[in-house]
Structure formats: C-alpha cells, structure tokens
Amino acid sequence: MSIETSSRPVILTGDRTTGPLHLGHYAGSLRNRVALQHGHRQYLLLADAQALTDNAHDPARIARNVIEVATDYLAVGIDPAVTTICVQSALPALAELTLLYLNLVTVARLERNPTIKDEIQARGFGRDIPAGFLCYPAAQAADITAFRATLVPVGEDQAPLIEQTNEIVRRLNRQVGYDLLPEARSLIPEIGRLPGADGRAKMSKSGGNALPLSASEPEIAAFVQRMYTDPGHLRASDPGRVEGNVVFTYLDAFDPDPEAVAGLKADYRRGGLGDSVLKARLTGVLRDLLGPIRERRAEIARDPDHVMDVLRTGTARAKDLTAATRDAVKDALGLFRL
C-alpha cells in the first residue's frame, strides 16, 4: 500500500467529541478551517478515542456527540468534497502507531509537557492521572504523522504538543536512518481562546460558559447581557477601560467593521459611551453571524443519514492513508509482518 502524496500542504485538525461546538471553537479554529480547505489537503479528526481519556465514565456521551460535532462542521461551511472528515476510533492504525511511539518517549518527558501539566492541574487529577491522558502527546503524534500532516492549527497553549510530536519524529527518523516522516508546524490563529462572559475563564463546554453555534436569538442576547465590561465604568460619561473588557474582546473577534470598533474604543476611553450601546452592537453582530449557521445546522440535522454518509466516506479514505503510514513505520523499524 503506497503513501498518498500531495503538492498541497497537509493539515490535520479536529475536536474532542464531548459536546456540540461553540463560539470559541468558531473563533479559534472553525472559520480558519473553512478558509484553508481549498488551498490545503485538510483532514478533520473527530477525536472520540481521545475524549475518553477523561470521560471514560460516560462513553455514550462521546458516541452521541460524534454526529453533533460533524453536523457543526457542515453547518459552518466545511465541504466534505475537499475536507476529509473522519472518526478517530474507526482508524486502528492510529492506535498501533500510538503504541509504537510510546516506546520512543519517557514518562518523565510526558509529565514535563507544559500543556499536559496545565490540563492535569485544571482537572484536579493529582497523581490519579488516567494513563491515556498522560500519554496523549504520543497519541497526538500518531494522529499527526499518520496523515503526514505538516500544518496543525492549534492554540498557543497547545504548541508544546506539536513540539513533542516533532521530537518523536526526529527520534524515529534518526533510528531508521532517513526522513521517513515529516515534521509538523503549529498554525496559531490570530484570535486566541475567547473568555467566557465573566472574563475569568476561557469559553468551554465543561465550564458552562459557552455559547453554542445553534444558540437562539434570546440566548445570544442573554449571553451578551451577562458580559463583564469595566466595573469602574458606572455611568456612560465615565472614561472606561477597553483592556480586559469582554465585549470589546468579542467585537475584535467578530465585528466585520474594525474601523468602527476602533472608534467605539476611543469613545469609551474618553467617556460618553454606555455599556448598553456596546452590548447592543455585539448582540447584532453575533445574531448576524450565528443566524445562518443555526439555520443550516437545523436543516442538516434533519438528515442524519447524510451526515453518516459523510463520516463513512471520509473515514474509509482516512483508513487507507493511515494504514499506509503505519505499514511504512513498521517496515522501517523492521517489525515482523505476516
């Protein structure tokens, strides 16, 4: 089985299937995926196996949300004709590569990974760390290299995972004596992770502060009304702080008129602009953005068989590619094959 090659850069990205996607996903990754898909060879991995690392108590939730996340992909404009959407647990080559790569990395190195350290602390694992969670960097290396990806869109906090992937690739390439696998580069979006409405934590499903892509107009309005602004801005005439003001963070991320936003910032700093005006503008911006996505999502959700067909087709295509990479790695290592 030959390994597919392409003159276009190869992107691997995806999401854990722990729930429908939200506005933070759209800002940080989804709209970039839509923009990149025609100039790159793009694979979107529904990471259901990885989601089990801290959700093994509720596997039904993980399985149920495979369809939900795939529906979100299609609703925002991912085109399955040019982007391969596939299911992680249905690609056995990924598990085999993970097992091989675990022999190329130490437990100490896994524990030093800044991303893993931060996530362990955030989840309060202490020393009761699920082994699958601790070994996630090796599993991600398997995902990236199986698709021979050279670009991986991630948040800045995830960049250490890509570096650890490249460490594994370099060690493997040195061991076999040639460049069997390519290294990958982090593709970090201009817009980082969005804060929740209170401004104290990132928007997340687990944090309960996320605005889903399917949010209704009343849900959007209520979410904006809860937003943290400037506690010292008690009257419209008071000068206000833009930095740390969640409403401006969202306007910077989504308002299609940055010049108008710059003018609002100047007025707010000077005094004379009320929070209600800012929130009304942001509510309108988010309604315009999410309205079409919500409508497309509802239409797609009425035909779950179509979503399943997309997943079957994409996963079958990915299965051939990932199996070819696995076989190439096993051959290079001189492993016995029947």
PDB file of all heavy atoms in Angstrom, residues 23 196-198 211 216-229 245-248 250-251 254 275-287 290:
ATOM      1  N   LEU A  23     -19.029  29.077  20.139  1.00  0.00           N
ATOM      2  CA  LEU A  23     -18.464  30.275  19.511  1.00  0.00           C
ATOM      3  C   LEU A  23     -16.951  30.341  19.659  1.00  0.00           C
ATOM      4  O   LEU A  23     -16.254  30.844  18.776  1.00  0.00           O
ATOM      5  CB  LEU A  23     -19.116  31.514  20.128  1.00  0.00           C
ATOM      6  CG  LEU A  23     -18.879  32.854  19.440  1.00  0.00           C
ATOM      7  CD1 LEU A  23     -19.415  32.833  18.019  1.00  0.00           C
ATOM      8  CD2 LEU A  23     -19.553  33.970  20.238  1.00  0.00           C
ATOM      9  N   GLY A 196     -15.029  33.417  28.686  1.00  0.00           N
ATOM     10  CA  GLY A 196     -16.458  33.331  28.929  1.00  0.00           C
ATOM     11  C   GLY A 196     -17.017  34.713  29.221  1.00  0.00           C
ATOM     12  O   GLY A 196     -16.295  35.708  29.272  1.00  0.00           O
ATOM     13  N   ALA A 197     -18.310  34.779  29.430  1.00  0.00           N
ATOM     14  CA  ALA A 197     -18.951  36.082  29.644  1.00  0.00           C
ATOM     15  C   ALA A 197     -18.408  36.799  30.868  1.00  0.00           C
ATOM     16  O   ALA A 197     -18.352  38.037  30.899  1.00  0.00           O
ATOM     17  CB  ALA A 197     -20.466  35.901  29.769  1.00  0.00           C
ATOM     18  N   ASP A 198     -17.984  36.028  31.891  1.00  0.00           N
ATOM     19  CA  ASP A 198     -17.491  36.674  33.109  1.00  0.00           C
ATOM     20  C   ASP A 198     -16.054  37.149  32.985  1.00  0.00           C
ATOM     21  O   ASP A 198     -15.541  37.838  33.869  1.00  0.00           O
ATOM     22  CB  ASP A 198     -17.621  35.742  34.308  1.00  0.00           C
ATOM     23  CG  ASP A 198     -16.835  34.446  34.151  1.00  0.00           C
ATOM     24  OD1 ASP A 198     -16.095  34.310  33.147  1.00  0.00           O
ATOM     25  OD2 ASP A 198     -16.964  33.569  35.018  1.00  0.00           O
ATOM     26  N   LEU A 211     -21.270  29.629  24.404  1.00  0.00           N
ATOM     27  CA  LEU A 211     -22.428  29.961  23.576  1.00  0.00           C
ATOM     28  C   LEU A 211     -22.412  29.027  22.370  1.00  0.00           C
ATOM     29  O   LEU A 211     -21.542  29.136  21.506  1.00  0.00           O
ATOM     30  CB  LEU A 211     -22.362  31.414  23.110  1.00  0.00           C
ATOM     31  CG  LEU A 211     -23.583  31.925  22.319  1.00  0.00           C
ATOM     32  CD1 LEU A 211     -24.810  31.989  23.233  1.00  0.00           C
ATOM     33  CD2 LEU A 211     -23.298  33.292  21.708  1.00  0.00           C
ATOM     34  N   SER A 216     -30.078  30.398  20.049  1.00  0.00           N
ATOM     35  CA  SER A 216     -31.192  31.204  19.544  1.00  0.00           C
ATOM     36  C   SER A 216     -30.913  32.685  19.790  1.00  0.00           C
ATOM     37  O   SER A 216     -29.993  33.048  20.538  1.00  0.00           O
ATOM     38  CB  SER A 216     -32.477  30.800  20.250  1.00  0.00           C
ATOM     39  OG  SER A 216     -32.398  31.132  21.636  1.00  0.00           O
ATOM     40  N   GLU A 217     -31.730  33.540  19.182  1.00  0.00           N
ATOM     41  CA  GLU A 217     -31.537  34.980  19.399  1.00  0.00           C
ATOM     42  C   GLU A 217     -31.689  35.371  20.861  1.00  0.00           C
ATOM     43  O   GLU A 217     -30.878  36.150  21.371  1.00  0.00           O
ATOM     44  CB  GLU A 217     -32.493  35.768  18.499  1.00  0.00           C
ATOM     45  CG  GLU A 217     -32.161  35.647  17.012  1.00  0.00           C
ATOM     46  CD  GLU A 217     -32.835  36.708  16.173  1.00  0.00           C
ATOM     47  OE1 GLU A 217     -33.565  37.547  16.747  1.00  0.00           O
ATOM     48  OE2 GLU A 217     -32.625  36.718  14.947  1.00  0.00           O
ATOM     49  N   PRO A 218     -32.694  34.855  21.590  1.00  0.00           N
ATOM     50  CA  PRO A 218     -32.752  35.187  23.031  1.00  0.00           C
ATOM     51  C   PRO A 218     -31.537  34.686  23.805  1.00  0.00           C
ATOM     52  O   PRO A 218     -31.069  35.367  24.725  1.00  0.00           O
ATOM     53  CB  PRO A 218     -34.041  34.489  23.491  1.00  0.00           C
ATOM     54  CG  PRO A 218     -34.880  34.380  22.264  1.00  0.00           C
ATOM     55  CD  PRO A 218     -33.913  34.145  21.144  1.00  0.00           C
ATOM     56  N   GLU A 219     -31.014  33.519  23.453  1.00  0.00           N
ATOM     57  CA  GLU A 219     -29.824  33.003  24.131  1.00  0.00           C
ATOM     58  C   GLU A 219     -28.616  33.889  23.858  1.00  0.00           C
ATOM     59  O   GLU A 219     -27.799  34.134  24.755  1.00  0.00           O
ATOM     60  CB  GLU A 219     -29.534  31.574  23.682  1.00  0.00           C
ATOM     61  CG  GLU A 219     -30.519  30.552  24.225  1.00  0.00           C
ATOM     62  CD  GLU A 219     -30.345  29.177  23.604  1.00  0.00           C
ATOM     63  OE1 GLU A 219     -29.892  29.086  22.438  1.00  0.00           O
ATOM     64  OE2 GLU A 219     -30.674  28.188  24.287  1.00  0.00           O
ATOM     65  N   ILE A 220     -28.489  34.385  22.630  1.00  0.00           N
ATOM     66  CA  ILE A 220     -27.393  35.293  22.301  1.00  0.00           C
ATOM     67  C   ILE A 220     -27.506  36.581  23.117  1.00  0.00           C
ATOM     68  O   ILE A 220     -26.535  37.048  23.719  1.00  0.00           O
ATOM     69  CB  ILE A 220     -27.394  35.611  20.791  1.00  0.00           C
ATOM     70  CG1 ILE A 220     -27.060  34.350  19.976  1.00  0.00           C
ATOM     71  CG2 ILE A 220     -26.403  36.730  20.469  1.00  0.00           C
ATOM     72  CD1 ILE A 220     -27.305  34.510  18.483  1.00  0.00           C
ATOM     73  N   ALA A 221     -28.709  37.156  23.145  1.00  0.00           N
ATOM     74  CA  ALA A 221     -28.913  38.408  23.887  1.00  0.00           C
ATOM     75  C   ALA A 221     -28.612  38.223  25.375  1.00  0.00           C
ATOM     76  O   ALA A 221     -27.964  39.077  26.002  1.00  0.00           O
ATOM     77  CB  ALA A 221     -30.347  38.895  23.686  1.00  0.00           C
ATOM     78  N   ALA A 222     -29.047  37.102  25.952  1.00  0.00           N
ATOM     79  CA  ALA A 222     -28.808  36.855  27.372  1.00  0.00           C
ATOM     80  C   ALA A 222     -27.318  36.664  27.649  1.00  0.00           C
ATOM     81  O   ALA A 222     -26.806  37.135  28.674  1.00  0.00           O
ATOM     82  CB  ALA A 222     -29.599  35.629  27.824  1.00  0.00           C
ATOM     83  N   PHE A 223     -26.637  35.999  26.752  1.00  0.00           N
ATOM     84  CA  PHE A 223     -25.201  35.777  26.923  1.00  0.00           C
ATOM     85  C   PHE A 223     -24.446  37.107  26.915  1.00  0.00           C
ATOM     86  O   PHE A 223     -23.578  37.343  27.768  1.00  0.00           O
ATOM     87  CB  PHE A 223     -24.692  34.875  25.790  1.00  0.00           C
ATOM     88  CG  PHE A 223     -23.231  34.546  25.869  1.00  0.00           C
ATOM     89  CD1 PHE A 223     -22.765  33.552  26.715  1.00  0.00           C
ATOM     90  CD2 PHE A 223     -22.305  35.221  25.085  1.00  0.00           C
ATOM     91  CE1 PHE A 223     -21.414  33.238  26.789  1.00  0.00           C
ATOM     92  CE2 PHE A 223     -20.950  34.922  25.139  1.00  0.00           C
ATOM     93  CZ  PHE A 223     -20.508  33.921  26.006  1.00  0.00           C
ATOM     94  N   VAL A 224     -24.778  37.990  25.986  1.00  0.00           N
ATOM     95  CA  VAL A 224     -24.104  39.287  25.893  1.00  0.00           C
ATOM     96  C   VAL A 224     -24.420  40.141  27.116  1.00  0.00           C
ATOM     97  O   VAL A 224     -23.537  40.833  27.655  1.00  0.00           O
ATOM     98  CB  VAL A 224     -24.485  40.000  24.587  1.00  0.00           C
ATOM     99  CG1 VAL A 224     -23.907  41.426  24.573  1.00  0.00           C
ATOM    100  CG2 VAL A 224     -23.995  39.223  23.371  1.00  0.00           C
ATOM    101  N   GLN A 225     -25.658  40.091  27.581  1.00  0.00           N
ATOM    102  CA  GLN A 225     -26.028  40.904  28.739  1.00  0.00           C
ATOM    103  C   GLN A 225     -25.232  40.532  29.991  1.00  0.00           C
ATOM    104  O   GLN A 225     -25.002  41.377  30.856  1.00  0.00           O
ATOM    105  CB  GLN A 225     -27.531  40.787  29.018  1.00  0.00           C
ATOM    106  CG  GLN A 225     -28.388  41.600  28.074  1.00  0.00           C
ATOM    107  CD  GLN A 225     -28.004  43.069  28.046  1.00  0.00           C
ATOM    108  OE1 GLN A 225     -27.880  43.712  29.094  1.00  0.00           O
ATOM    109  NE2 GLN A 225     -27.798  43.609  26.844  1.00  0.00           N
ATOM    110  N   ARG A 226     -24.788  39.272  30.080  1.00  0.00           N
ATOM    111  CA  ARG A 226     -24.009  38.838  31.250  1.00  0.00           C
ATOM    112  C   ARG A 226     -22.545  39.242  31.160  1.00  0.00           C
ATOM    113  O   ARG A 226     -21.791  39.047  32.120  1.00  0.00           O
ATOM    114  CB  ARG A 226     -24.063  37.308  31.380  1.00  0.00           C
ATOM    115  CG  ARG A 226     -25.418  36.726  31.637  1.00  0.00           C
ATOM    116  CD  ARG A 226     -25.313  35.298  32.179  1.00  0.00           C
ATOM    117  NE  ARG A 226     -24.545  34.414  31.320  1.00  0.00           N
ATOM    118  CZ  ARG A 226     -25.047  33.700  30.323  1.00  0.00           C
ATOM    119  NH1 ARG A 226     -26.341  33.795  30.043  1.00  0.00           N
ATOM    120  NH2 ARG A 226     -24.281  32.896  29.600  1.00  0.00           N
ATOM    121  N   MET A 227     -22.133  39.811  30.061  1.00  0.00           N
ATOM    122  CA  MET A 227     -20.709  40.049  29.834  1.00  0.00           C
ATOM    123  C   MET A 227     -20.118  41.089  30.773  1.00  0.00           C
ATOM    124  O   MET A 227     -20.696  42.143  31.038  1.00  0.00           O
ATOM    125  CB  MET A 227     -20.454  40.481  28.388  1.00  0.00           C
ATOM    126  CG  MET A 227     -20.442  39.325  27.426  1.00  0.00           C
ATOM    127  SD  MET A 227     -19.891  39.834  25.789  1.00  0.00           S
ATOM    128  CE  MET A 227     -19.823  38.238  24.986  1.00  0.00           C
ATOM    129  N   TYR A 228     -18.924  40.757  31.217  1.00  0.00           N
ATOM    130  CA  TYR A 228     -18.114  41.642  32.056  1.00  0.00           C
ATOM    131  C   TYR A 228     -17.586  42.788  31.199  1.00  0.00           C
ATOM    132  O   TYR A 228     -17.097  42.586  30.088  1.00  0.00           O
ATOM    133  CB  TYR A 228     -16.955  40.833  32.626  1.00  0.00           C
ATOM    134  CG  TYR A 228     -15.960  41.597  33.463  1.00  0.00           C
ATOM    135  CD1 TYR A 228     -16.159  41.762  34.828  1.00  0.00           C
ATOM    136  CD2 TYR A 228     -14.817  42.141  32.885  1.00  0.00           C
ATOM    137  CE1 TYR A 228     -15.239  42.444  35.612  1.00  0.00           C
ATOM    138  CE2 TYR A 228     -13.893  42.831  33.654  1.00  0.00           C
ATOM    139  CZ  TYR A 228     -14.113  42.982  35.008  1.00  0.00           C
ATOM    140  OH  TYR A 228     -13.206  43.655  35.769  1.00  0.00           O
ATOM    141  N   THR A 229     -17.687  44.026  31.719  1.00  0.00           N
ATOM    142  CA  THR A 229     -17.156  45.178  30.974  1.00  0.00           C
ATOM    143  C   THR A 229     -16.056  45.831  31.821  1.00  0.00           C
ATOM    144  O   THR A 229     -14.980  45.299  31.960  1.00  0.00           O
ATOM    145  CB  THR A 229     -18.282  46.164  30.629  1.00  0.00           C
ATOM    146  OG1 THR A 229     -18.978  46.536  31.825  1.00  0.00           O
ATOM    147  CG2 THR A 229     -19.263  45.549  29.639  1.00  0.00           C
ATOM    148  N   ASN A 245     -12.005  44.191  28.828  1.00  0.00           N
ATOM    149  CA  ASN A 245     -13.444  44.339  28.632  1.00  0.00           C
ATOM    150  C   ASN A 245     -13.899  43.258  27.647  1.00  0.00           C
ATOM    151  O   ASN A 245     -13.536  43.269  26.475  1.00  0.00           O
ATOM    152  CB  ASN A 245     -13.732  45.739  28.081  1.00  0.00           C
ATOM    153  CG  ASN A 245     -15.204  46.071  28.013  1.00  0.00           C
ATOM    154  OD1 ASN A 245     -16.010  45.255  27.605  1.00  0.00           O
ATOM    155  ND2 ASN A 245     -15.541  47.303  28.377  1.00  0.00           N
ATOM    156  N   VAL A 246     -14.696  42.319  28.121  1.00  0.00           N
ATOM    157  CA  VAL A 246     -15.064  41.155  27.305  1.00  0.00           C
ATOM    158  C   VAL A 246     -15.848  41.551  26.065  1.00  0.00           C
ATOM    159  O   VAL A 246     -15.699  40.938  24.998  1.00  0.00           O
ATOM    160  CB  VAL A 246     -15.848  40.133  28.156  1.00  0.00           C
ATOM    161  CG1 VAL A 246     -16.292  38.944  27.313  1.00  0.00           C
ATOM    162  CG2 VAL A 246     -14.992  39.648  29.311  1.00  0.00           C
ATOM    163  N   VAL A 247     -16.664  42.580  26.167  1.00  0.00           N
ATOM    164  CA  VAL A 247     -17.445  43.000  24.998  1.00  0.00           C
ATOM    165  C   VAL A 247     -16.512  43.417  23.860  1.00  0.00           C
ATOM    166  O   VAL A 247     -16.708  43.028  22.705  1.00  0.00           O
ATOM    167  CB  VAL A 247     -18.410  44.143  25.361  1.00  0.00           C
ATOM    168  CG1 VAL A 247     -19.169  44.612  24.118  1.00  0.00           C
ATOM    169  CG2 VAL A 247     -19.390  43.693  26.431  1.00  0.00           C
ATOM    170  N   PHE A 248     -15.482  44.166  24.179  1.00  0.00           N
ATOM    171  CA  PHE A 248     -14.537  44.566  23.134  1.00  0.00           C
ATOM    172  C   PHE A 248     -13.740  43.366  22.616  1.00  0.00           C
ATOM    173  O   PHE A 248     -13.391  43.317  21.432  1.00  0.00           O
ATOM    174  CB  PHE A 248     -13.599  45.657  23.659  1.00  0.00           C
ATOM    175  CG  PHE A 248     -14.188  47.040  23.592  1.00  0.00           C
ATOM    176  CD1 PHE A 248     -14.456  47.752  24.756  1.00  0.00           C
ATOM    177  CD2 PHE A 248     -14.502  47.613  22.380  1.00  0.00           C
ATOM    178  CE1 PHE A 248     -14.999  49.025  24.701  1.00  0.00           C
ATOM    179  CE2 PHE A 248     -15.052  48.886  22.300  1.00  0.00           C
ATOM    180  CZ  PHE A 248     -15.307  49.593  23.468  1.00  0.00           C
ATOM    181  N   TYR A 250     -14.860  40.435  22.147  1.00  0.00           N
ATOM    182  CA  TYR A 250     -15.736  39.778  21.167  1.00  0.00           C
ATOM    183  C   TYR A 250     -15.932  40.640  19.922  1.00  0.00           C
ATOM    184  O   TYR A 250     -16.015  40.115  18.813  1.00  0.00           O
ATOM    185  CB  TYR A 250     -17.081  39.448  21.814  1.00  0.00           C
ATOM    186  CG  TYR A 250     -17.076  38.172  22.620  1.00  0.00           C
ATOM    187  CD1 TYR A 250     -16.334  38.059  23.795  1.00  0.00           C
ATOM    188  CD2 TYR A 250     -17.812  37.065  22.218  1.00  0.00           C
ATOM    189  CE1 TYR A 250     -16.327  36.902  24.548  1.00  0.00           C
ATOM    190  CE2 TYR A 250     -17.811  35.896  22.954  1.00  0.00           C
ATOM    191  CZ  TYR A 250     -17.062  35.820  24.118  1.00  0.00           C
ATOM    192  OH  TYR A 250     -17.052  34.645  24.852  1.00  0.00           O
ATOM    193  N   LEU A 251     -16.013  41.940  20.109  1.00  0.00           N
ATOM    194  CA  LEU A 251     -16.126  42.812  18.930  1.00  0.00           C
ATOM    195  C   LEU A 251     -14.876  42.696  18.069  1.00  0.00           C
ATOM    196  O   LEU A 251     -14.956  42.659  16.832  1.00  0.00           O
ATOM    197  CB  LEU A 251     -16.361  44.260  19.356  1.00  0.00           C
ATOM    198  CG  LEU A 251     -17.754  44.586  19.896  1.00  0.00           C
ATOM    199  CD1 LEU A 251     -17.787  46.007  20.458  1.00  0.00           C
ATOM    200  CD2 LEU A 251     -18.820  44.418  18.816  1.00  0.00           C
ATOM    201  N   PHE A 254     -15.222  39.404  16.087  1.00  0.00           N
ATOM    202  CA  PHE A 254     -16.326  39.096  15.175  1.00  0.00           C
ATOM    203  C   PHE A 254     -16.896  40.287  14.403  1.00  0.00           C
ATOM    204  O   PHE A 254     -17.568  40.081  13.394  1.00  0.00           O
ATOM    205  CB  PHE A 254     -17.473  38.441  15.953  1.00  0.00           C
ATOM    206  CG  PHE A 254     -17.086  37.156  16.621  1.00  0.00           C
ATOM    207  CD1 PHE A 254     -17.054  37.073  18.009  1.00  0.00           C
ATOM    208  CD2 PHE A 254     -16.736  36.042  15.890  1.00  0.00           C
ATOM    209  CE1 PHE A 254     -16.696  35.893  18.636  1.00  0.00           C
ATOM    210  CE2 PHE A 254     -16.370  34.862  16.506  1.00  0.00           C
ATOM    211  CZ  PHE A 254     -16.350  34.783  17.881  1.00  0.00           C
ATOM    212  N   ASP A 275     -22.287  51.102  28.276  1.00  0.00           N
ATOM    213  CA  ASP A 275     -22.137  49.669  28.028  1.00  0.00           C
ATOM    214  C   ASP A 275     -23.305  49.109  27.234  1.00  0.00           C
ATOM    215  O   ASP A 275     -23.140  48.170  26.451  1.00  0.00           O
ATOM    216  CB  ASP A 275     -22.026  48.914  29.354  1.00  0.00           C
ATOM    217  CG  ASP A 275     -20.704  49.176  30.067  1.00  0.00           C
ATOM    218  OD1 ASP A 275     -19.734  49.553  29.392  1.00  0.00           O
ATOM    219  OD2 ASP A 275     -20.653  48.998  31.298  1.00  0.00           O
ATOM    220  N   SER A 276     -24.487  49.670  27.428  1.00  0.00           N
ATOM    221  CA  SER A 276     -25.670  49.162  26.727  1.00  0.00           C
ATOM    222  C   SER A 276     -25.528  49.315  25.215  1.00  0.00           C
ATOM    223  O   SER A 276     -25.996  48.465  24.454  1.00  0.00           O
ATOM    224  CB  SER A 276     -26.931  49.864  27.214  1.00  0.00           C
ATOM    225  OG  SER A 276     -26.857  51.264  26.964  1.00  0.00           O
ATOM    226  N   VAL A 277     -24.880  50.396  24.784  1.00  0.00           N
ATOM    227  CA  VAL A 277     -24.673  50.605  23.339  1.00  0.00           C
ATOM    228  C   VAL A 277     -23.738  49.535  22.782  1.00  0.00           C
ATOM    229  O   VAL A 277     -23.982  48.956  21.714  1.00  0.00           O
ATOM    230  CB  VAL A 277     -24.103  52.017  23.087  1.00  0.00           C
ATOM    231  CG1 VAL A 277     -23.775  52.200  21.604  1.00  0.00           C
ATOM    232  CG2 VAL A 277     -25.080  53.081  23.552  1.00  0.00           C
ATOM    233  N   LEU A 278     -22.657  49.267  23.531  1.00  0.00           N
ATOM    234  CA  LEU A 278     -21.705  48.243  23.085  1.00  0.00           C
ATOM    235  C   LEU A 278     -22.359  46.874  23.023  1.00  0.00           C
ATOM    236  O   LEU A 278     -22.174  46.119  22.065  1.00  0.00           O
ATOM    237  CB  LEU A 278     -20.514  48.182  24.046  1.00  0.00           C
ATOM    238  CG  LEU A 278     -19.604  49.395  24.126  1.00  0.00           C
ATOM    239  CD1 LEU A 278     -18.504  49.139  25.153  1.00  0.00           C
ATOM    240  CD2 LEU A 278     -19.000  49.704  22.760  1.00  0.00           C
ATOM    241  N   LYS A 279     -23.136  46.565  24.047  1.00  0.00           N
ATOM    242  CA  LYS A 279     -23.759  45.241  24.090  1.00  0.00           C
ATOM    243  C   LYS A 279     -24.813  45.084  23.003  1.00  0.00           C
ATOM    244  O   LYS A 279     -24.979  43.989  22.439  1.00  0.00           O
ATOM    245  CB  LYS A 279     -24.350  44.990  25.476  1.00  0.00           C
ATOM    246  CG  LYS A 279     -23.276  44.799  26.546  1.00  0.00           C
ATOM    247  CD  LYS A 279     -23.857  44.430  27.902  1.00  0.00           C
ATOM    248  CE  LYS A 279     -22.749  44.125  28.897  1.00  0.00           C
ATOM    249  NZ  LYS A 279     -23.265  43.714  30.219  1.00  0.00           N
ATOM    250  N   ALA A 280     -25.508  46.160  22.698  1.00  0.00           N
ATOM    251  CA  ALA A 280     -26.493  46.097  21.612  1.00  0.00           C
ATOM    252  C   ALA A 280     -25.799  45.840  20.275  1.00  0.00           C
ATOM    253  O   ALA A 280     -26.280  45.047  19.446  1.00  0.00           O
ATOM    254  CB  ALA A 280     -27.297  47.400  21.553  1.00  0.00           C
ATOM    255  N   ARG A 281     -24.654  46.488  20.064  1.00  0.00           N
ATOM    256  CA  ARG A 281     -23.929  46.260  18.812  1.00  0.00           C
ATOM    257  C   ARG A 281     -23.439  44.815  18.725  1.00  0.00           C
ATOM    258  O   ARG A 281     -23.583  44.161  17.697  1.00  0.00           O
ATOM    259  CB  ARG A 281     -22.743  47.212  18.695  1.00  0.00           C
ATOM    260  CG  ARG A 281     -21.968  47.028  17.378  1.00  0.00           C
ATOM    261  CD  ARG A 281     -20.786  47.959  17.251  1.00  0.00           C
ATOM    262  NE  ARG A 281     -20.117  47.785  15.970  1.00  0.00           N
ATOM    263  CZ  ARG A 281     -20.358  48.496  14.877  1.00  0.00           C
ATOM    264  NH1 ARG A 281     -21.273  49.451  14.910  1.00  0.00           N
ATOM    265  NH2 ARG A 281     -19.705  48.263  13.755  1.00  0.00           N
ATOM    266  N   LEU A 282     -22.842  44.319  19.844  1.00  0.00           N
ATOM    267  CA  LEU A 282     -22.329  42.954  19.829  1.00  0.00           C
ATOM    268  C   LEU A 282     -23.457  41.947  19.639  1.00  0.00           C
ATOM    269  O   LEU A 282     -23.289  40.950  18.911  1.00  0.00           O
ATOM    270  CB  LEU A 282     -21.575  42.663  21.126  1.00  0.00           C
ATOM    271  CG  LEU A 282     -21.016  41.242  21.255  1.00  0.00           C
ATOM    272  CD1 LEU A 282     -20.065  40.904  20.110  1.00  0.00           C
ATOM    273  CD2 LEU A 282     -20.314  41.054  22.599  1.00  0.00           C
ATOM    274  N   THR A 283     -24.587  42.173  20.256  1.00  0.00           N
ATOM    275  CA  THR A 283     -25.728  41.269  20.072  1.00  0.00           C
ATOM    276  C   THR A 283     -26.098  41.186  18.600  1.00  0.00           C
ATOM    277  O   THR A 283     -26.336  40.094  18.063  1.00  0.00           O
ATOM    278  CB  THR A 283     -26.930  41.743  20.902  1.00  0.00           C
ATOM    279  OG1 THR A 283     -26.579  41.728  22.291  1.00  0.00           O
ATOM    280  CG2 THR A 283     -28.131  40.839  20.693  1.00  0.00           C
ATOM    281  N   GLY A 284     -26.129  42.308  17.918  1.00  0.00           N
ATOM    282  CA  GLY A 284     -26.447  42.307  16.496  1.00  0.00           C
ATOM    283  C   GLY A 284     -25.404  41.582  15.669  1.00  0.00           C
ATOM    284  O   GLY A 284     -25.733  40.832  14.741  1.00  0.00           O
ATOM    285  N   VAL A 285     -24.125  41.793  16.008  1.00  0.00           N
ATOM    286  CA  VAL A 285     -23.041  41.129  15.282  1.00  0.00           C
ATOM    287  C   VAL A 285     -23.162  39.609  15.428  1.00  0.00           C
ATOM    288  O   VAL A 285     -23.043  38.866  14.438  1.00  0.00           O
ATOM    289  CB  VAL A 285     -21.672  41.616  15.798  1.00  0.00           C
ATOM    290  CG1 VAL A 285     -20.546  40.713  15.299  1.00  0.00           C
ATOM    291  CG2 VAL A 285     -21.417  43.058  15.378  1.00  0.00           C
ATOM    292  N   LEU A 286     -23.399  39.145  16.643  1.00  0.00           N
ATOM    293  CA  LEU A 286     -23.476  37.699  16.873  1.00  0.00           C
ATOM    294  C   LEU A 286     -24.736  37.105  16.261  1.00  0.00           C
ATOM    295  O   LEU A 286     -24.728  35.968  15.783  1.00  0.00           O
ATOM    296  CB  LEU A 286     -23.420  37.402  18.370  1.00  0.00           C
ATOM    297  CG  LEU A 286     -22.091  37.751  19.059  1.00  0.00           C
ATOM    298  CD1 LEU A 286     -22.124  37.341  20.533  1.00  0.00           C
ATOM    299  CD2 LEU A 286     -20.911  37.083  18.355  1.00  0.00           C
ATOM    300  N   ARG A 287     -25.830  37.844  16.273  1.00  0.00           N
ATOM    301  CA  ARG A 287     -27.043  37.354  15.601  1.00  0.00           C
ATOM    302  C   ARG A 287     -26.809  37.193  14.106  1.00  0.00           C
ATOM    303  O   ARG A 287     -27.225  36.196  13.506  1.00  0.00           O
ATOM    304  CB  ARG A 287     -28.203  38.316  15.860  1.00  0.00           C
ATOM    305  CG  ARG A 287     -28.814  38.198  17.249  1.00  0.00           C
ATOM    306  CD  ARG A 287     -29.862  39.267  17.483  1.00  0.00           C
ATOM    307  NE  ARG A 287     -30.549  39.062  18.757  1.00  0.00           N
ATOM    308  CZ  ARG A 287     -31.354  39.957  19.322  1.00  0.00           C
ATOM    309  NH1 ARG A 287     -31.550  41.131  18.731  1.00  0.00           N
ATOM    310  NH2 ARG A 287     -31.937  39.692  20.467  1.00  0.00           N
ATOM    311  N   LEU A 290     -24.366  34.014  13.752  1.00  0.00           N
ATOM    312  CA  LEU A 290     -24.856  32.695  14.131  1.00  0.00           C
ATOM    313  C   LEU A 290     -26.197  32.340  13.499  1.00  0.00           C
ATOM    314  O   LEU A 290     -26.523  31.146  13.388  1.00  0.00           O
ATOM    315  CB  LEU A 290     -24.971  32.592  15.650  1.00  0.00           C
ATOM    316  CG  LEU A 290     -23.650  32.660  16.421  1.00  0.00           C
ATOM    317  CD1 LEU A 290     -23.901  32.546  17.925  1.00  0.00           C
ATOM    318  CD2 LEU A 290     -22.712  31.549  15.963  1.00  0.00           C
TER     319      LEU A 290
END
